[in-house]
Amino acid sequence: MNYYSLNREAPNTTFKEAVIKGLAPDKGLYFPESITPLPVDFFKNIDQLSYNEIAFEAIKQFVSPDIPEAVLKTIVEETLSFNFPVVNLNNNISTLELFHGPTMAFKDVGARFMARCLGYFNKDNSNEVTVLVATSGDTGGAVANGFLDVKGVNVVILYPSGKVSEIQEKQLTTLGKNITALEVDGVFDDCQDMVKQAFLDPELNHYKQLTSANSINVARWLPQLFYFIFAYKELHNTYNDIVFSVPSGNFGNICAGMMAQQLGLPIKHFIAANNLNNSVTDYLETQEYKPKKSIQTISNAMDVGNPSNLVRIQEIYSNFLDLKANMSSFSFTDQATSDAVKEIYDNYNYVADPHGAVGYLGCKAYLAKNPNAHCVFLETAHPTKFLDVVEDVIKEKQPLPKQIEAVMGKEKVSIKINNYSELKEFLLKN
Ligand SMILES: *Cc1c(COP(=O)(O)O)cnc(C)c1O
């Protein structure tokens, strides 16, 4: 598969180059040149397919021929080494738990898949890369864990000192080896700005092959389409009219769901569930897109004012009315979110995290007008990653899962930096 830049001022390129570069030279996001639907039989016989077989068939066209089939089989198996349970709350609402990976965030799948692709591309030591990421929390841990020990890949994570939770900090500062954590005296936006400056620095890019590991990168974005097919497999014999409510920040996850739909998955509708960062909710109402400054909320992984993947969504639905027919967007306050955590606990004895709770609210808003649908909200993080909010609302202590416990006892190692020139000096020396 070749990829083109959505800014359309850069040459088309292979999957391999798109992964190594991250962003096209004209700063556009890469998008596949074509999408061939899977055979009708694939969906008809889905009950007979394993998750590994489903994932392999669904992603094959996007990575071929750069990743040979035998290698892809191994990458898929290693990526999906944990469960993706669907939990039924009632006749109209289920949740798909995406938090059973090593860092208990849904970003584990994309990070693990991308890491293994880069590892394969560097198999003869010809493609050494530095993955540079800024994190406000979950991305750092998932990327650190996913890329640990991958040959030829050095990972540098910038995080704002004192602004991530203790669990999140431990997840990104305790691994060592090819993972370095840079602790920035500032806020998330400072980290993000420094990373952007690094990608635009000609001198740095002359010496280093830098790439990104957020959902801009096609190898982190596309594997997320698996989730939607997995949930369909679990639910299609029981429910018609399956819709997905996706807690959205950069809109990578929901956009991957739309790719699954393009492959032929019978999804009736998408709901973009948002906190008060509502640029897309407004866009669907007014047809006019205005990026906003991000607002801090209790579902902080979705505090994004200018979602990077909206351009991919607009590419899939080039007609605004088609987009509107296929996607609704709702925005919810922190109060509504914590009330939802309580409601889900009281009514269904289920503990949701604040991001999942926003997804649940998205389901309820959609079902109010479409009572016959079955809505699946994605649970994107384990509730103990947001202990302060969750325990405060449900008034009950939560046990720490083993993945989290294992990391809490380890010692933090980070390098403090204050500005871009210190970042550049670090990158040039290492
Ligand atoms: C990253 C993240 C999201 C948002 O996902 P996007 O693909 O950026 O829309 C939602 N919930 C959690 C817990 C996350 O870490």
Side-chain angles (χ1 to χ4, degrees):
M1 175 71 67
N2 281 336
Y3 289 77
Y4 61 96
S5 163
L6 292 178
N7 283 353
R8 295 179 165 79
E9 284 175 13
N12 291 13
T13 193
T14 59
F15 173 71
K16 176 176 166 179
E17 284 304 310
V19 177
I20 291 173
K21 287 203 182 87
L23 206 58
D26 63 359
K27 308 296 162 209
L29 272 67
Y30 280 117
F31 197 85
E33 272 181 1
S34 64
I35 306 168
T36 307
L38 293 164
V40 177
D41 278 355
F42 174 86
F43 296 106
K44 239 197 242 158
N45 302 329
I46 199 155
D47 294 336
Q48 272 80 56
L49 299 177
S50 69
Y51 279 17
N52 286 342
E53 287 165 338
I54 289 171
F56 172 81
E57 290 300 330
I59 199 90
K60 194 168 63 179
Q61 63 177 295
F62 299 111
V63 306
S64 136
D66 294 353
I67 309 254
E69 292 200 357
V71 175
L72 180 61
K73 280 210 167 103
T74 309
I75 291 179
V76 163
E77 271 169 34
E78 290 178 2
T79 299
L80 301 177
S81 59
F82 42 89
N83 297 329
F84 302 85
V86 175
V87 179
N88 201 229
L89 297 193
N90 65 30
N91 253 340
N92 291 104
I93 305 181
S94 296
T95 178
L96 170 62
E97 294 185 345
L98 299 178
F99 55 67
H100 293 273
T103 74
M104 317 215 83
F106 86 93
K107 294 182 171 74
D108 280 330
V109 164
R112 289 159 72 81
F113 187 87
M114 179 183 162
R116 282 159 180 78
C117 289
L118 276 181
Y120 175 71
F121 294 147
N122 189 54
K123 61 187 183 313
D124 47 13
N125 292 320
S126 55
N127 286 294
E128 191 148 308
V129 298
T130 299
V131 170
L132 189 59
V133 278
T135 183
S136 57
D138 275 354
T139 301
V143 168
N145 192 289
F147 284 78
L148 184 66
D149 283 328
V150 175
K151 208 166 60 101
V153 183
N154 289 309
V155 176
V156 178
I157 302 166
L158 281 76
Y159 75 99
S161 183
K163 306 274 186 327
V164 303
S165 75
E166 192 189 351
I167 291 174
Q168 289 172 329
E169 184 171 42
K170 289 279 188 183
Q171 284 182 326
L172 59 97
T173 57
T174 57
L175 294 174
K177 297 187 182 168
N178 59 329
I179 315 292
T180 307
L182 300 181
E183 185 172 353
V184 176
D185 181 20
V187 294
F188 171 67
D189 289 330
D190 300 321
C191 302
Q192 179 99 314
D193 288 347
M194 281 192 227
V195 167
K196 280 189 187 147
Q197 202 172 341
F199 284 119
L200 295 173
D201 186 326
E203 190 192 351
L204 190 52
N205 286 273
H206 179 75
Y207 291 107
K208 290 267 156 181
Q209 178 65 60
L210 298 178
T211 192
S212 65
N214 50 31
S215 54
I216 285 174
N217 197 301
V218 292
R220 231 218 63 195
W221 167 54
L222 286 169
Q224 300 175 145
L225 66 84
F226 303 157
Y227 306 143
F228 300 83
I229 315 181
F230 294 168
Y232 175 80
K233 173 178 152 89
E234 298 309 316
L235 294 169
H236 77 111
N237 287 322
T238 319
Y239 301 107
N240 299 317
D241 294 351
I242 295 174
V243 304
F244 285 93
S245 176
V246 187
S248 294
N250 265 319
F251 282 66
N253 204 5
I254 194 169
C255 184
M258 291 167 175
M259 295 297 282
Q261 192 187 38
Q262 297 294 303
L263 290 175
L265 186 70
I267 301 175
K268 192 167 169 245
H269 198 78
F270 289 94
I271 299 135
N274 291 117
N275 57 31
L276 282 186
N277 293 282
N278 59 357
S279 318
V280 174
T281 314
D282 283 359
Y283 166 59
L284 284 189
E285 240 158 60
T286 61
Q287 198 171 346
E288 208 182 314
Y289 178 64
K290 286 200 208 109
K292 301 184 183 185
K293 261 198 139 44
S294 63
I295 305 169
Q296 206 175 344
T297 74
I298 58 169
S299 48
N300 60 19
M302 315 196 303
D303 295 349
V304 180
N306 187 12
S308 43
N309 284 287
L310 180 64
V311 285
R312 284 188 172 132
I313 293 178
Q314 290 169 319
E315 188 70 8
I316 296 172
Y317 305 104
S318 48
N319 181 321
F320 180 76
L321 292 179
D322 287 348
L323 171 60
K324 250 187 107 126
N326 200 57
M327 179 173 97
S328 306
S329 174
F330 303 100
S331 152
F332 302 98
T333 62
D334 277 356
Q335 185 61 51
T337 305
S338 53
D339 288 349
V341 171
K342 183 160 173 29
E343 179 177 315
I344 298 166
Y345 185 65
D346 289 346
N347 291 358
Y348 308 109
N349 198 25
Y350 185 84
V351 182
D353 96 292
H355 303 78
V358 171
Y360 168 83
L361 289 171
C363 279
K364 289 214 345 182
Y366 180 80
L367 289 167
K369 290 196 177 139
N370 301 273
N372 295 324
H374 189 80
C375 184
V376 183
F377 70 90
L378 307 194
E379 231 318 4
T380 47
H382 192 280
T384 56
K385 292 194 87 177
F386 301 90
L387 264 191
D388 44 344
V389 180
V390 172
E391 287 184 347
D392 191 46
V393 171
I394 68 172
K395 313 276 184 234
E396 206 170 279
K397 273 253 163 270
Q398 294 297 301
L400 279 192
K402 60 180 190 314
Q403 290 101 311
I404 306 278
E405 213 164 78
V407 97
M408 292 308 277
K410 292 197 188 156
E411 198 188 335
K412 161 185 159 180
V413 179
S414 69
I415 298 172
K416 295 210 172 179
I417 63 165
N418 292 304
N419 51 48
Y420 179 68
S421 60
E422 289 178 19
L423 170 64
K424 183 167 172 178
E425 196 184 328
F426 172 83
L427 290 171
L428 287 173
K429 266 202 242 143
N430 288 275

